Amino acid sequence: MESLFLSPTPQGRRVYLYAVPDGIPLYFKHNELAQEPGYQPLWRGSPTSISEHEATTLVAQLTMPHAGYRNYHHPAESMLGFPTAKESFQSAVERLGQQLEYAPGTCPSEVLVGELPAL
């Protein structure tokens, strides 16, 4: 799996995090996604360079007041979250890295976030 669902949008679309296995340029995934009808790129770069403001627009906020942002290491229903969106985004990158079988303690150095119409 090369993608991880991050959050729904108010317009009924879905935000996904994309990465590729270690050693493959992200360029190939970007070109593949550009062919998808309705695909809209939102952010691309090193996961460590994302700002709190940028991350806030991408990750899911927990519904309980003061619960923070989703921890992507836990099921979506979990109320265990992070106080910052940046930490939430990093947990999503780590989870996607695990799914792509990155070495323990490592994760993709470049990721892409995009929006697609809901299925």
Side-chain angles (χ1 to χ4, degrees):
M1 173 183 260
E2 296 176 336
S3 68
L4 180 69
F5 173 66
L6 292 178
S7 64
T9 69
Q11 299 79 22
R13 296 170 59 87
R14 296 171 63 88
V15 177
Y16 289 91
L17 172 67
Y18 299 96
V20 291
D22 196 19
I24 298 175
L26 190 62
Y27 166 82
F28 294 113
K29 187 65 179 174
H30 173 73
N31 284 346
E32 176 187 321
L33 289 167
Q35 306 303 313
E36 290 286 323
Y39 171 74
Q40 184 176 24
L42 300 175
W43 189 86
R44 180 178 178 173
S46 168
T48 58
S49 71
I50 194 165
S51 70
E52 179 66 19
H53 175 73
E54 290 167 324
T56 300
T57 65
L58 304 174
V59 298
Q61 192 164 8
L62 299 175
T63 55
M64 293 184 65
H66 310 292
Y69 297 90
R70 180 170 171 206
N71 181 340
Y72 290 90
H73 291 294
H74 296 286
E77 304 79 36
S78 174
M79 287 293 121
L80 299 173
F82 289 107
T84 70
K86 192 169 179 169
E87 289 173 296
S88 174
F89 184 79
Q90 189 61 43
S91 77
V93 172
E94 290 167 3
R95 179 164 173 208
L96 188 53
Q98 289 170 351
Q99 291 172 354
L100 292 170
E101 299 180 356
Y102 274 71
T106 66
C107 61
S109 60
E110 186 179 24
V111 297
L112 177 65
V113 179
E115 188 178 281
L116 285 169
L119 301 174

